[in-house]
Amino acid sequence: MKLFISCKSLKDTFIDYSASAMALWSILCVFTLSIGDSLRLFYNVLYFIGDSALLLAPVWLLPRRLRWLSVVPVWLTSVYLTASSMYFRYWGDLLPLSSVFEPDNWNSFVFGSISHLLAWSDVVMCILPLGLLVFLLWRRRKYAPANLSWKWRSAGFAATVLIWVMAEICSIYHLHGYLVSKQWKSSLNDIIEFKFWGMSELKNCWKEGGYLHFLTIDMRSLFDVRKPVSLSDSDKCVINQFIRSRKDFGDNSHSYLHNKDKNLILIIVESLNSEVVGRKYHGMGVTATLDSLLVLDGTVSCLRIYDQVMMGCSSDGQLIYNTGLLPLSKGGCTAQRNGNNSFPSLAKSLRPRPSIECIVEDGRVWNHKETTLAYGYDALYDAGEIRRLGIDPLEVGGDRAVFEMALQKIGSLPEPFFAQVVTLSMHFPFQDPGIDRLAWIDRITGISPSERNYLQSVAYFDRQLGWFLGMLKAKGIYDRSVIVIASDHDRPYKSVDGIIDSTESLPIAFIALNTGGATRLIDKDAWQMDVYPTILDIMGVTGTDYRGLGTSLVTPDDSLPGTGIPVEEIAGISEKIIRSDFFR
């Protein structure tokens, strides 16, 4: 009788365990397909079997009444991977855990994008396997009259761990073949180093090592980035030499000394791609205002800027423009991780000008309240101030609201001043409810709905920019100001079968108005980090020891300082500066 009960319990435990593992394995496979990867039988599928086996191995150790807890890791995985799948459609990489644990990341813009990013594969991945598992465990709750003996539980646990070990051996074998094909060293240490430190993109960590490997890499970077970095004397020497080389080469402020007493108005535009500037349909221009500004006397422009933002998205663009530094490449949003660092900045370089920052969202989003102070601004005006002024973004649109607020605040500032205005209406999914749509754009044929919505958002921003500049002229402020318009980052917007290719890299725009110099269209590729020294030059700023990590676009010489220094190395220097709080 005992033998019968033991066999029955063993069978019951095996069924429960197998159902949970199959549900988890199905979720991992569906997720891989949902991000556009193929399932490779001898690699991915085996990894996922091993991952599922190890994650659910504790099921063997649980008494019968607690075996329903196997639902928890399956549920957590399904929710996390659903969110990661949507994140991938926007950013082209997987969702880092650091972003999950930042509460300010879960804001209205994130939740407003869910309906546009959600796909049927997500529903299948999140609901179907989990639902079937819950139903099966609920139906089987009355089975197994006795718990399995500890000996058999331990044997089951050991067997599942062995399955994971075998999957890891397959992983090492696969990486060995990959390294040999690349003619790299392939000792066991080399393989382990490549497996845990050699892949920068989280998508590659998933593809080459499976779910647990991905989590291990992501959690390691999450904890690593929290550790303060102490720089060696040689590191400090390299950083100082690099900063001096940028300063010695790139100071062209003497050509624009006539601007040293002008105001600076920096307009950071959400998701403005250069390719839409000048676009016309049926003789109608999408960006009529911007088109006219490009040919004005004294306009300096470059429509071939490539962004360098990372996980912080728009906040990274603002970091680059305000400090000349590049964001952290891993471990979360720089504005949230290191928002209270001591930064060199435009606001500090332009002192004693009073400086303000105007945004349309709440100041807690992306840690604006901290970064406004860190970047040296005297005041931040956000959604609370917009409401206090009686402006309703739902009626007039986000860009008109922030321009109206900025206009009122600028009018009360002593000149010369520095004002940064950050727009938002072109934020994905391009559906600001307050914008007034143009009928002729809605009638354009041969474009996807997402492209049409994007063009409507661009056209709306363009009209509000024209209104803002017109009001500055009416108040006599325009002629006494340099006005810079710069995209915060690119944004793919064309969809095929409802899917946007988020990996496409598009150039963004830099336009400086009323510089007092020659009209210049800089027709060469440049980086986002080049904007900071360009603004310093155009404003005639002299005597500053720090001019950013990029190269001024108005430098007469086309060559770059520090020839042979790749952008990746510059990013590494910036990472050391930020993580060590170098300027404090």
Side-chain angles (χ1 to χ4, degrees):
M1 186 63 181
K2 284 186 177 181
L3 180 62
F4 174 78
I5 293 175
S6 180
C7 291
K8 183 82 168 59
S9 299
L10 178 62
K11 177 184 175 183
D12 182 65
T13 306
F14 179 77
I15 291 174
D16 288 347
Y17 169 81
S18 299
S20 302
M22 181 60 71
L24 185 58
W25 178 82
S26 300
I27 290 170
L28 301 181
C29 290
V30 173
F31 173 74
T32 301
L33 295 173
S34 74
I35 62 173
D37 274 352
S38 58
L39 287 173
R40 298 169 294 172
L41 179 61
F42 294 106
Y43 302 124
N44 305 73
V45 175
L46 286 176
Y47 300 166
F48 296 154
I49 290 174
D51 291 344
S52 302
L54 188 64
L55 280 170
L56 292 166
V59 172
W60 286 96
L61 303 179
L62 294 173
R64 183 68 185 90
R65 68 181 185 279
L66 296 179
R67 214 170 291 157
W68 63 269
L69 289 173
S70 63
V71 171
V72 175
V74 178
W75 176 76
L76 289 174
T77 297
S78 67
V79 172
Y80 173 55
L81 293 186
T82 299
S84 195
S85 184
M86 290 187 285
Y87 183 91
F88 178 83
R89 294 187 187 104
Y90 191 97
W91 278 110
D93 202 1
L94 306 191
L95 175 64
L97 290 172
S98 56
S99 295
V100 174
F101 296 125
E102 289 291 348
D104 287 339
N105 286 352
W106 302 99
N107 52 63
S108 59
F109 303 107
V110 171
F111 292 115
S113 302
I114 288 177
S115 61
H116 304 276
L117 293 170
L118 199 65
W120 280 109
S121 60
D122 302 325
V123 178
V124 172
M125 174 175 61
C126 189
I127 296 176
L128 189 58
L130 181 62
L132 290 175
L133 175 62
V134 171
F135 177 75
L136 178 64
L137 294 179
W138 177 77
R139 287 294 302 269
R140 290 180 49 77
R141 70 191 187 282
K142 61 184 178 182
Y143 293 102
N147 280 322
L148 193 63
S149 68
W150 183 251
K151 179 180 69 174
W152 284 108
R153 287 199 229 173
S154 301
F157 179 84
T160 54
V161 173
L162 181 61
I163 292 173
W164 174 77
V165 171
M166 293 174 65
E168 283 297 297
I169 291 173
C170 290
S171 169
I172 292 173
Y173 175 79
H174 166 53
L175 285 178
H176 169 75
Y178 177 80
L179 295 176
V180 168
S181 69
K182 297 291 184 181
Q183 297 183 340
W184 296 343
K185 293 180 180 179
S186 57
S187 68
L188 182 60
N189 286 339
D190 294 325
I191 293 172
I192 292 174
E193 182 177 354
F194 180 80
K195 186 176 175 68
F196 289 97
W197 284 273
M199 290 176 273
S200 58
E201 289 189 338
L202 293 177
K203 180 185 176 184
N204 290 336
C205 297
W206 178 280
K207 183 177 180 180
E208 300 298 336
Y211 183 41
L212 285 177
H213 173 64
F214 159 76
L215 289 179
T216 301
I217 295 289
D218 199 16
M219 292 180 70
R220 181 179 60 81
S221 64
L222 173 64
F223 290 111
D224 280 354
V225 81
R226 291 181 181 274
K227 298 176 183 177
V229 172
S230 297
L231 299 179
S232 65
D233 290 340
S234 61
D235 284 336
K236 294 176 183 178
C237 182
V238 168
I239 291 172
N240 283 316
Q241 286 179 350
F242 185 81
I243 289 174
R244 280 197 299 270
S245 72
R246 286 317 202 218
K247 175 181 179 292
D248 295 340
F249 181 93
D251 189 349
N252 298 282
S253 56
H254 58 276
S255 301
Y256 293 94
L257 287 176
H258 50 271
N259 292 330
K260 62 184 179 64
D261 294 322
K262 279 187 177 181
N263 310 309
L264 171 62
I265 301 175
L266 172 59
I267 303 172
I268 300 181
V269 187
E270 174 69 40
S271 304
L272 176 61
N273 299 308
S274 295
E275 68 174 28
V276 299
V277 178
R279 184 179 297 183
K280 293 185 178 181
Y281 294 91
H282 311 300
M284 303 290 288
V286 176
T287 57
T289 300
L290 288 174
D291 297 348
S292 65
L293 297 176
L294 289 172
V295 297
L296 289 179
D297 290 342
T299 294
V300 175
S301 61
C302 180
L303 302 183
R304 291 169 57 183
I305 305 283
Y306 286 88
D307 79 29
Q308 294 171 290
V309 302
M310 291 293 178
M311 297 176 189
C313 194
S314 298
S315 67
D316 284 348
Q318 294 160 32
L319 168 82
I320 296 169
Y321 292 147
N322 277 278
T323 70
L325 296 170
L326 298 177
L328 301 176
S329 61
K330 58 185 178 181
C333 170
T334 306
Q336 292 172 330
R337 293 286 183 222
N338 302 88
N340 60 354
N341 274 24
S342 179
F343 293 103
S345 68
L346 288 176
K348 294 174 183 177
S349 296
L350 291 170
R351 285 175 179 166
R353 289 174 175 81
S355 54
I356 63 171
E357 181 179 13
C358 299
I359 62 176
V360 72
E361 71 262 58
D362 190 288
R364 291 171 296 181
V365 175
W366 296 117
N367 204 26
H368 259 109
K369 290 184 181 292
E370 288 281 350
T371 58
T372 295
L373 294 175
Y375 298 162
Y377 289 98
D378 298 318
L380 169 68
Y381 299 106
D382 64 356
E385 183 66 14
I386 289 177
R387 288 193 298 270
R388 194 188 69 79
L389 294 173
I391 305 169
D392 187 357
L394 295 178
E395 290 186 1
V396 301
D399 291 357
R400 179 59 174 262
V402 76
F403 279 139
E404 284 191 18
M405 176 177 66
L407 195 66
Q408 293 193 38
K409 299 304 176 183
I410 284 171
S412 64
L413 292 175
E415 297 188 24
F417 60 79
F418 170 35
Q420 176 175 284
V421 184
V422 183
T423 74
L424 196 62
S425 290
M426 287 155 60
H427 194 285
F428 184 84
F430 325 127
Q431 294 197 0
D432 183 337
I435 73 171
D436 50 323
R437 298 177 71 94
L438 298 177
W440 64 269
I441 292 182
D442 280 334
R443 290 195 297 267
I444 298 172
T445 59
I447 61 175
S448 64
S450 64
E451 183 173 357
R452 182 174 289 105
N453 289 337
Y454 179 72
L455 293 177
Q456 287 283 10
S457 300
V458 173
Y460 164 78
F461 159 75
D462 188 76
R463 295 194 301 279
Q464 301 315 314
L465 175 65
W467 175 85
F468 180 63
L469 297 179
M471 293 301 294
L472 291 177
K473 290 178 181 178
K475 293 177 178 291
I477 299 174
Y478 182 91
D479 291 334
R480 301 192 297 272
S481 305
V482 171
I483 300 166
V484 174
I485 303 161
S487 315
D488 61 353
H489 55 76
D490 74 343
R491 177 60 244 179
Y493 58 94
K494 299 176 183 177
S495 64
V496 179
D497 297 328
I499 299 176
I500 297 175
D501 180 8
S502 299
T503 61
E504 182 182 14
S505 181
L506 301 171
I508 59 177
F510 166 83
I511 303 170
L513 311 176
N514 201 26
T515 67
T519 303
R520 293 182 60 185
L521 173 61
I522 301 165
D523 192 23
K524 64 179 181 180
D525 291 345
W527 291 108
Q528 210 168 11
M529 63 182 176
D530 300 330
V531 170
Y532 181 88
T534 304
I535 294 176
L536 290 182
D537 278 351
I538 289 176
M539 293 305 297
V541 175
T542 58
T544 177
D545 291 330
Y546 175 79
R547 300 189 66 83
L549 304 185
T551 306
S552 174
L553 297 172
V554 295
T555 301
D557 188 349
D558 286 339
S559 64
L560 289 173
T563 302
I565 300 179
V567 174
E568 292 79 8
E569 187 171 331
I570 297 175
I573 291 173
S574 182
E575 187 124 354
K576 290 178 181 178
I577 289 174
I578 292 174
R579 292 189 60 187
S580 66
D581 201 358
F582 181 79
F583 291 102
R584 192 175 296 278

